[in-house]
């Protein structure tokens, strides 16, 4: 009823119909829609070139697992994550496994080393909730920190934001390196300052030790002190 107050739902009903004009020998391609697909087909659909198909398939997989209380075999999703043909397919699989609590540390590590920059970005975001895990968290933190030299600027920017979740011993050197190479980038500077909330002292000491204070923006020591 709220929508009807602002929009005429019958608008355009006097405008006729839209017809598709095709050749006489044209054959419509049979479309595989997610609603009637099996779980295996839904997983494969995460590589679909159409975004709606991918999003819908991901949603249906999540709902299927929840509906069956986790009894659906997730091996299909683990296998797909390793063999995905597209970056978006791998990202969907990564996010689904994480949402279902089935993501393994080795899968995060492989995501951080993936050849697609977008996958590395999402792997960093997913890793944020795993740095505190005993044993594997320390290795993840070290691998994430190594992306300070990543050739892709989006990955480095994401690392600057992810550093907020890194232990101070990893965060301060990573932020110092990112700042040293991108001190003229306002977005990177803001991300570094944002993530330094738990390691401002360590970062300032790192900058002083490496004589980087003068190379960063002049107000940085004051900002860190605040």
């Amino acid at each position: 009823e709220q929508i009807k107050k602002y929009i005429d739902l019958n608008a355009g009903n006097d405008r006729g119909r839209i017809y598709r004009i095709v050749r006489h020998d044209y054959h419509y391609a049979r479309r595989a829609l997610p609603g009637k697909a099996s779980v295996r087909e839904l997983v494969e659909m995460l590589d679909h070139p159409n975004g709606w198909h991918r999003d819908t398939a991901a949603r249906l997989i999540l709902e299927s697992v929840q509906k069956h209380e986790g009894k659906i075999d997730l091996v299909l999703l683990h296998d797909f994550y390793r063999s995905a043909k597209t970056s978006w397919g791998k990202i969907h699989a990564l996010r689904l496994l994480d949402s279902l609590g089935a993501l393994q540390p080795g899968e995060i590590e492989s995501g951080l080393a993936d050849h697609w920059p977008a996958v590395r970005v999402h792997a960093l975001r997913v890793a944020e909730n795993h740095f505190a895990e005993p044993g594997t968290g320390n290795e993840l933190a070290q691998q994430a920190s190594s992306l300070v030299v990543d050739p892709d600027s989006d990955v480095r920017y994401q690392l600057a934001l992810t550093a907020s979740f890194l232990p101070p011993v990893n965060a301060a050197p990573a932020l110092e390196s990112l700042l040293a190479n991108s001190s003229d980038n306002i977005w990177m500077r803001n991300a570094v300052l944002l993530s330094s909330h738990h390691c401002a002292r360590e970062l300032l000491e790192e900058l002083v030790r490496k004589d980087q204070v003068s190379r960063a923006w002049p107000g940085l020591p004051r900002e860190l002190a605040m």
Side-chain angles (χ1 to χ4, degrees), residues 95-110:
R95 290 294 194 168
L96 277 170
L97 287 168
D98 186 53
S99 298
L100 295 169
L103 190 61
Q104 301 168 358
E107 290 172 324
I108 304 177
E109 292 173 4
S110 68

Side-chain angles (χ1 to χ4, degrees), residues 72-110:
I72 289 180
D73 190 359
L74 292 177
V75 172
L76 291 173
L77 207 50
H78 289 291
D79 290 343
F80 176 83
Y81 177 68
R82 289 190 293 270
S83 61
K85 298 176 181 177
T86 62
S87 59
W88 53 78
K90 182 161 283 193
I91 290 169
H92 271 295
L94 177 72
R95 290 294 194 168
L96 277 170
L97 287 168
D98 186 53
S99 298
L100 295 169
L103 190 61
Q104 301 168 358
E107 290 172 324
I108 304 177
E109 292 173 4
S110 68

Side-chain angles (χ1 to χ4, degrees), residues 1-159:
E1 293 302 317
Q2 288 294 109
I3 295 176
K4 291 181 182 178
K5 292 180 181 179
Y6 304 100
I7 300 175
D8 179 8
L9 301 182
N10 292 314
N13 64 356
D14 59 341
R15 300 291 180 176
R17 296 179 175 84
I18 297 176
Y19 291 89
R20 175 181 290 180
I21 300 175
V22 299
R23 290 167 36 139
H24 65 88
D25 57 349
Y26 179 83
H27 297 287
Y28 286 94
R30 184 179 179 183
R31 293 186 298 171
L33 297 178
K36 298 180 180 180
S38 65
V39 174
R40 180 180 293 275
E41 291 171 330
L42 287 174
V43 171
E44 294 174 351
M45 205 171 287
L46 297 177
D47 257 340
H48 200 284
N50 184 280
W52 177 85
H53 283 75
R54 298 194 302 272
D55 292 343
T56 305
R59 174 176 60 81
L60 292 175
I61 291 171
L62 189 63
E63 291 176 355
S64 297
V65 175
Q66 292 173 338
K67 189 182 300 181
H68 291 77
E69 299 179 351
K71 295 179 181 178
I72 289 180
D73 190 359
L74 292 177
V75 172
L76 291 173
L77 207 50
H78 289 291
D79 290 343
F80 176 83
Y81 177 68
R82 289 190 293 270
S83 61
K85 298 176 181 177
T86 62
S87 59
W88 53 78
K90 182 161 283 193
I91 290 169
H92 271 295
L94 177 72
R95 290 294 194 168
L96 277 170
L97 287 168
D98 186 53
S99 298
L100 295 169
L103 190 61
Q104 301 168 358
E107 290 172 324
I108 304 177
E109 292 173 4
S110 68
L112 292 172
D114 197 87
H115 66 281
W116 282 305
V119 176
R120 299 198 296 276
V121 167
H122 281 265
L124 279 170
R125 293 174 183 170
V126 167
E128 293 172 354
N129 295 323
H130 298 268
F131 292 141
E133 294 179 358
T136 58
N138 185 49
E139 295 180 5
L140 277 179
Q142 292 180 10
Q143 185 177 358
S145 301
S146 70
L147 294 179
V148 292
V149 294
D150 194 279
D152 188 87
S153 60
D154 287 342
V155 177
R156 298 194 303 274
Y157 179 64
Q158 180 58 52
L159 176 59

